[in-house]
Amino acid sequence: MSSVDQPVPVSEPVPAPDTGASSREAAAAAPSASAAVVPVAAAPGASVSPAPDDAPSPLAEQWPYLRFLGLGAWWAWIWLCYFSTRLVGFFPADTRPGLVLSMYLVSTLAIAAIMLAAAGASRFFTPLIDARGAVVFAGVLAAVATAVLAFAGHLGGTVPFVGAAVATGAGTGALCLKVGRLYGTVGLSDSLTAGAVSLVLAALLYFVGLGIPESWSVVYIALLPLLSALLLCMPVDDPYGPAAQPTAVAGAGEGASGGVPGPVLGLYTRLVSAAAIVALTAGVGRGVSSTLQAVDSYGLEGSVIAATIGLIGMVLAWLVNRLAAERKGARMAYMALMIGGVGLMLSTGFGVPISYLSIGKETLWLVFSCLMAFMAFRFGFASVRAFALGQVAYFLASTAGWAIGALVAPFYDDPMVRMAVGAVMAFVGVLVLTLLFTDRDIKAILLAPVAAVPSVLTRCPATTEASCVGCTAADNATADEMEGAGASGEGAPRTPGAPASDAFVAVDGAVAAAAAEVAAREERCRLLEERFGLSRREIEIMDLFAQGRSANWIADALVISKNTVRSHLRAIYMKLDVHTRQELLDCLNDLFSE
């Protein structure tokens, strides 16, 4: 039997490898770190695959990653609104930079409010974000509000302008939630690649918006949120997606952290904190530039920013795919972007426009957001809540940065003030990179073990009860029960303060129960091999899939390609003569109940 087909004990968690281990050793450890789980009762807000409410799109079937490019249209709208003055072209020229600043502050606060509401009521927002009609409505709302913003000067001035800015924030905030929901269905390399390509698309759409006649640019900008919505909610029928019932560990859903290891929550907290600090520092740059820039230089610097981000997107897509097997792409991209950002911060003290900090801000937002979505994907966080909390911190920090920048702007022409601002921001960037959130933290996210519950090979797949037909007592014993096994070996709980001899007997009982579980698993593997001709690799994949994991999750956990997983699943369906996950569960339940 080849090393590829060796069985992997998927029901036993393995501690994360030492951070000094090589990336290939880490990849080898990943399969056992991806402990299997059984279906659990649906926790409100837990990570469940988006259920399309429409027939699959032929376009999406041919290009399944086309919908991920909705992020590109969303980005292009933001850049045309805040890196240029096209949207406020009907206002007096000397007021346009100030209007862009005002629009950003109001709109971003509205986005943060939507994110905060989604984080606090994820059980309500999750099905809403999954509904195609709701996403399209958000796109229409942002589109109409954008048009109202452009003509607010002719509609009464301040009140229509502020109201439309709030509406654009609400609409684009909902689209941002959809981005997090969608990007949380794939592994980190896939989400970073799709995001990098979206950066390139956003740059192209941005320059198209600058190139068309100014009288038509408002219509073009207003249609971008609608285009984003239509792409993001393209219906796709994935027979190998997550199960309707979430596979997250019980308690990992709606606001409960009981099933999520403390170190994982610590990593998430540091990730969100780093994203907020980066947004704060870059926001200062945009606040200064929005206040001081002339209209002509505003558009020129915006073009430089968009073009540079597009080039970085190309390099990022190449880097992530080049190093996908070693899982180094995200780490190297983060390190390079942070070091480049620190250098750019220092250079602002010597005459480089401070607005160029947006280059690092936009690209690092992609890395941070993909990591947030990936943590929900891997560890079973409630995806809407996990993504929304991170975005709340990011957008509030960015808004605060713009406000601080506007206060600093009157003094920024002083060379000493300029150098002091650049030095302080660079120092903060170094602290983030070296202390708060380092490349080792990204490695820990990739390698942290997933909380384990018994495999379907040691418990009937159709139930989560403590006993079921065809399973031995050892098969149905949970880890806590084995740990607390008493002297008789019959599962009596261990009493705190019991004599040491009882403790030794309890250990013996746990070892015996574990040995019985291994024997039961091996017996069922042999049964699957003999009756259906399944290989050990197919059994391993079938085990994870029967428990509700998606093909994307399995591929990421076992460090193999998605196509390989899907090929194995097609072979499993054919050998067992089943067509759906539920039929597979029924087949296994009947087989193990004999």
Side-chain angles (χ1 to χ4, degrees):
M1 182 181 298
S2 67
S3 60
V4 173
D5 290 327
Q6 291 296 327
V8 178
V10 295
S11 63
E12 300 175 6
V14 175
D18 186 84
T19 54
S22 69
S23 56
R24 290 191 180 277
E25 291 172 341
S32 54
S34 61
V37 297
V38 296
V40 298
S47 180
V48 190
S49 63
D53 51 8
D54 205 346
S57 165
L59 198 60
E61 289 181 342
Q62 293 297 322
W63 294 289
Y65 276 83
L66 183 62
R67 55 195 180 133
F68 287 79
L69 299 185
L71 175 59
W74 182 82
W75 248 323
W77 178 87
I78 289 178
W79 296 356
L80 283 166
C81 288
Y82 306 131
F83 292 171
S84 76
T85 58
R86 279 300 183 100
L87 186 61
V88 291
F90 293 104
F91 290 85
D94 58 336
T95 65
R96 293 173 191 173
L99 288 171
V100 171
L101 174 60
S102 300
M103 176 188 171
Y104 181 87
L105 294 176
V106 174
S107 179
T108 307
L109 286 175
I111 293 177
I114 288 292
M115 296 295 174
L116 191 60
S122 60
R123 69 178 66 188
F124 170 77
F125 275 85
T126 298
L128 197 63
I129 293 301
D130 289 342
R132 188 166 185 249
V135 177
V136 173
F137 174 79
V140 171
L141 175 64
V144 172
T146 300
V148 173
L149 263 173
F151 298 101
H154 303 286
L155 299 176
T158 304
V159 173
F161 186 88
V162 173
V166 170
T168 59
T172 55
L175 295 180
C176 185
L177 283 173
K178 183 63 177 181
V179 168
R181 186 78 166 140
L182 181 60
Y183 276 60
T185 62
V186 295
L188 184 58
S189 294
D190 288 334
S191 64
L192 279 173
T193 300
V197 175
S198 293
L199 284 175
V200 179
L201 175 63
L204 294 175
L205 292 174
Y206 175 84
F207 285 106
V208 170
L210 294 184
I212 64 177
E214 190 166 356
S215 57
W216 287 96
S217 60
V218 171
V219 176
Y220 178 83
I221 296 172
L223 289 176
L224 287 174
L226 182 57
L227 173 62
S228 174
L230 293 175
L231 287 173
L232 289 171
C233 65
M234 290 178 68
V236 175
D237 183 18
D238 183 6
Y240 305 125
Q245 286 188 333
T247 59
V249 177
E254 181 73 9
S257 59
V260 181
V264 173
L265 291 177
L267 288 170
Y268 175 78
T269 302
R270 291 199 295 276
L271 169 64
V272 172
S273 300
I277 292 174
V278 168
L280 178 67
T281 55
V284 170
R286 290 305 303 177
V288 170
S289 61
S290 296
T291 305
L292 297 181
Q293 272 181 323
V295 175
D296 295 339
S297 61
Y298 203 100
L300 177 61
E301 291 182 7
S303 297
V304 172
I305 292 171
T308 306
I309 292 175
L311 292 174
I312 292 175
M314 294 181 190
V315 175
L316 182 60
W318 173 84
L319 182 65
V320 170
N321 282 273
R322 177 70 177 80
L323 301 175
E326 294 86 359
R327 292 192 168 193
K328 289 182 178 178
R331 295 165 57 194
M332 291 191 65
Y334 174 69
M335 290 286 290
L337 291 172
M338 284 298 296
I339 292 172
V342 169
L344 196 56
M345 290 171 184
L346 286 173
S347 68
T348 60
F350 301 93
V352 174
I354 195 172
S355 61
Y356 289 172
L357 294 182
S358 294
I359 296 171
K361 174 177 176 283
E362 297 296 311
T363 50
L364 281 168
W365 180 87
L366 172 64
V367 175
F368 288 134
S369 297
C370 287
L371 284 168
M372 293 172 195
F374 175 73
M375 292 190 76
F377 168 79
R378 177 165 172 76
F379 300 110
F381 292 170
S383 60
V384 168
R385 168 168 289 183
F387 193 78
L389 284 174
Q391 299 306 315
V392 166
Y394 180 90
F395 283 110
L396 285 179
S398 180
T399 304
W402 276 59
I404 294 171
L407 295 176
V408 172
F411 312 98
Y412 193 72
D413 287 335
D414 186 333
M416 295 302 295
V417 172
R418 184 184 298 114
M419 293 187 69
V421 170
V424 169
M425 290 192 298
F427 178 71
V428 171
V430 170
L431 291 180
V432 170
L433 179 60
T434 58
L435 296 177
L436 180 58
F437 191 75
T438 70
D439 69 314
R440 293 188 299 275
D441 291 314
I442 297 179
K443 183 176 182 179
I445 290 173
L446 291 168
L447 300 179
V450 178
V453 290
S455 157
V456 295
L457 296 175
T458 55
R459 175 181 289 187
C460 280
T463 182
T464 58
E465 297 296 330
S467 60
C468 59
V469 179
C471 295
T472 66
D475 293 338
N476 291 303
T478 66
D480 291 338
E481 289 167 346
M482 288 191 292
E483 182 181 355
S488 64
E490 296 177 354
R494 187 170 59 216
T495 303
S501 58
D502 290 349
F504 283 114
V505 172
V507 171
D508 290 340
V511 170
E517 181 178 336
V518 171
R521 182 190 301 113
E522 183 62 26
E523 177 62 28
R524 289 184 171 183
C525 286
R526 283 198 297 269
L527 179 62
L528 290 167
E529 287 178 325
E530 294 171 0
R531 183 167 299 189
F532 300 106
L534 297 179
S535 68
R536 285 303 174 107
R537 176 60 100 181
E538 288 173 336
I539 293 173
E540 177 188 17
I541 290 173
M542 180 206 69
D543 186 16
L544 290 168
F545 184 71
Q547 295 154 18
R549 296 297 190 184
S550 68
N552 291 335
W553 193 96
I554 297 170
D556 181 81
L558 302 185
V559 198
I560 56 179
S561 76
K562 298 184 293 297
N563 289 336
T564 298
V565 173
R566 292 171 187 273
S567 296
H568 280 308
L569 288 172
R570 283 192 292 269
I572 292 166
Y573 274 20
M574 182 177 65
K575 291 178 180 181
L576 273 65
D577 192 23
V578 297
H579 305 89
T580 65
R581 192 196 308 263
Q582 187 57 52
E583 289 183 11
L584 174 63
L585 291 172
D586 293 341
C587 177
L588 293 177
N589 191 48
D590 293 342
L591 177 66
F592 296 153
S593 298
E594 292 178 356

